[in-house]
Amino acid sequence: MADTSTTAPPKQPTTADAVLLSYALGLEFAMVDIYARATVASKDDLKAVAELFGAHHRAAAQSLTGLLGRKAATGRNEKFYAEHSAKIIGGAAKDTAAQLAGLENAMVATHLRMLGTLRGIDGATLIASIIPIEARQAAVLVGLSGSTALDDVMALDDEAVIDPKTYPA
Amino acid sequence: MNTSVNDNAFNRRRFLQSGGLALASAAILAACGKNDKVATAYPRIGESPTTTALPEARVTDTVLLRTASSLEWCAIDAYSAVTALGVLPGAVLPVVARFQADHKAHSAALTEIIKTAGGEPFECANERINTLYIAPAVELIVGNKDKGIEATDTPVDDLLLLAHGLENLAAATYQYYVSLISQPAVRGAAMTIGQDEARHAAVLAQAIIPGGKGIAPSINEKTGKANPAAVPGAFGSLAPVTFAIGRTSEAGTKTQLSLDTPSLNSMAYEYATC
């Protein structure tokens, strides 16, 4: 697997990279709006956390937009937003935290799958800087959902990858 | 006319002189080039030392993965040392045991990737990271009479800060190496491990500062330094990992340590062995 390449990888995103990164951008926009909804629906610690994590997704979206330029998606992934924002209904804080933890883990799994495909260094580097923050956010939200099990904190579900067939761009 | 003939003669002479000078220069240069052979002909006392060329040190995907593996072993060894001190509270021990097991699993995963690539696995700690970062940190915690270092007055906090620092270092290393790894599949595999390290760091940050206060970045009011945070920013940081441990001075300060991701002088190159 390693050391088989004889040419340096490209710096800029390739055409195929741009499609993947633009899809990731649509998901980030959706996460910004889901967190905005969670901020309104929550109180105390979870409200502050939702505000902070929403801002992190906004920063990720801004960076992806900057990288992609005119190839960037201009709006959120509607189907993803509609399906998951409906679950943020202002119920118990633990339930909301559990929902958000699941979404963060899905974002991590999606970005990891993407990273294994991206050829351009700039896109790969940006996605690699987003992944650890989403993983940390998932870990925090698992805690806020009331779980103290390390298996839950460390859980990364490959099946949770957000699929363009289910949630088209 | 005469002048002209003389000029021509002069020119020919100048030309021949120049040619002669060039030939002489070439002969001298050639002699210099053969200087080694000439020199060996002289008798001398003793033997000249033989020199060995340095091995080739290319930074390949395999080298990066071997280095990552060496860092995993640093963490494995550090957690063993931390547990052996016997000062950690019972509630923290299962966390330490789990994280150590995760690092062993990471090393095993890296070994498989390296083998698949035709490389030689590296299953031991990074000597340079141990010497530069971990050994000095442990000395600040347990003390060293020979060096006049007193043991820390806050061993549990310091051990957690060291563990937190090492997990952050590991997470940053995988993130940084993505920019150096050539194969997309290897980048994905590296960050699958890197995001694990980030989760470890988040858990430890909240063990150091429990509750909601340990989630976002904050400043220690006493020291003016940044507190550990579970989610320290919008993007993974590649800045040096800093933390303060050791015996509290009269001024109320501790020794500040700074850890950097393994760079060219800390890598497990292909010629390096355990």
Side-chain angles (χ1 to χ4, degrees):
Chain A
M1 188 147 64
D3 293 345
T4 53
S5 174
T6 53
T7 54
K11 192 170 185 307
Q12 294 287 323
T14 63
T15 304
D17 287 356
V19 173
L20 290 171
L21 293 166
S22 185
Y23 185 73
L25 176 56
L27 294 176
E28 292 292 353
F29 280 139
M31 290 297 283
V32 171
D33 291 346
I34 289 169
Y35 271 109
R37 195 174 163 108
T39 303
V40 172
S42 306
K43 290 183 287 188
D44 305 327
D45 275 356
L46 186 58
K47 189 180 187 72
V49 164
E51 206 165 340
L52 178 70
F53 293 0
H56 291 168
H57 284 286
R58 184 177 297 109
Q62 287 168 344
S63 292
L64 283 164
T65 302
L67 179 68
L68 290 168
R70 283 185 292 178
K71 293 175 185 168
T74 53
R76 68 190 180 202
N77 186 309
E78 276 303 336
K79 192 174 178 195
F80 183 81
Y81 172 76
E83 189 172 318
H84 295 289
S85 65
K87 295 171 187 169
I88 310 292
I89 51 173
K94 288 182 177 181
D95 295 340
T96 303
Q99 286 290 340
L100 294 171
L103 293 179
E104 290 290 0
N105 274 324
M107 292 294 281
V108 173
T110 305
H111 285 146
L112 284 173
R113 176 79 58 87
M114 197 175 284
L115 188 61
T117 312
L118 292 172
R119 292 194 59 235
I121 289 290
D122 287 352
T125 304
L126 177 55
I127 292 295
S129 72
I130 293 170
I131 288 169
I133 296 304
E134 290 174 340
R136 287 168 183 265
Q137 291 177 172
V140 167
L141 288 162
V142 166
L144 291 173
S145 76
S147 173
T148 55
L150 286 172
D151 281 346
D152 292 342
V153 173
M154 300 304 299
L156 177 64
D157 185 4
D158 287 341
E159 303 291 312
V161 171
I162 302 162
D163 185 358
K165 287 178 186 166
T166 311
Y167 302 103
Chain B
M1 286 292 284
N2 282 343
T3 307
S4 174
V5 169
N6 285 342
D7 280 352
N8 285 342
F10 177 75
N11 286 343
R12 273 198 304 276
R13 192 159 54 246
R14 285 285 303 272
F15 175 78
L16 288 170
Q17 281 174 343
S18 301
L21 181 64
L23 284 171
S25 301
I28 291 166
L29 287 172
C32 289
K34 292 174 184 174
N35 204 26
D36 290 348
K37 285 185 180 176
V38 173
T40 54
Y42 289 110
R44 62 169 180 248
I45 300 169
E47 292 183 3
S48 64
T50 57
T51 57
T52 310
L54 288 170
E56 190 180 9
R58 285 194 311 130
V59 179
T60 62
D61 287 1
T62 301
V63 168
L64 295 168
L65 296 174
R66 282 163 55 91
T67 308
S69 181
S70 74
L71 206 56
E72 296 290 350
W73 280 96
C74 283
I76 293 165
D77 293 351
Y79 278 124
S80 290
V82 161
T83 307
L85 292 176
V87 296
L88 287 176
V92 177
L93 290 175
V95 177
V96 169
R98 166 63 194 253
F99 289 1
Q100 189 181 44
D102 286 347
H103 287 296
K104 285 179 181 172
H106 296 162
S107 174
L110 289 167
T111 292
E112 286 308 308
I113 300 170
I114 293 166
K115 279 182 181 173
T116 305
E120 190 69 32
F122 194 86
E123 296 176 306
C124 60
N126 189 309
E127 197 78 20
R128 192 164 166 81
I129 296 292
N130 271 350
T131 308
L132 283 179
Y133 299 149
I134 299 176
V138 171
E139 274 184 353
L140 286 169
I141 295 169
V142 302
N144 184 331
K145 284 181 183 173
D146 295 341
K147 293 182 180 175
I149 300 171
E150 283 187 82
T152 181
D153 47 343
T154 54
V156 175
D157 288 351
D158 288 8
L159 287 171
L160 289 175
L161 282 168
L162 172 59
H164 180 251
L166 289 175
E167 295 291 357
N168 274 326
L169 180 69
T173 299
Y174 286 103
Q175 184 189 326
Y176 170 49
Y177 282 5
V178 163
S179 67
L180 305 177
I181 293 170
S182 64
Q183 299 291 308
V186 180
R187 292 181 201 148
M191 274 314 292
T192 301
I193 298 172
Q195 65 86 33
D196 259 5
E197 320 290 30
R199 287 174 199 253
H200 288 175
V203 170
L204 288 165
Q206 291 196 285
I208 296 165
I209 303 180
K213 289 180 181 174
I215 296 173
S218 62
I219 298 293
N220 184 320
E221 289 176 5
K222 287 182 187 171
T223 63
K225 309 270 186 193
N227 284 321
V231 187
F235 300 96
S237 171
L238 298 180
V241 178
T242 58
F243 55 97
I245 58 173
R247 189 148 198 98
T248 311
S249 72
E250 288 179 5
T253 59
K254 287 173 172 279
T255 304
Q256 184 90 2
L257 297 180
S258 180
L259 318 180
D260 272 308
T261 53
S263 191
L264 294 175
N265 57 358
S266 312
M267 289 186 177
Y269 291 103
E270 288 179 31
Y271 59 78
T273 53
C274 284

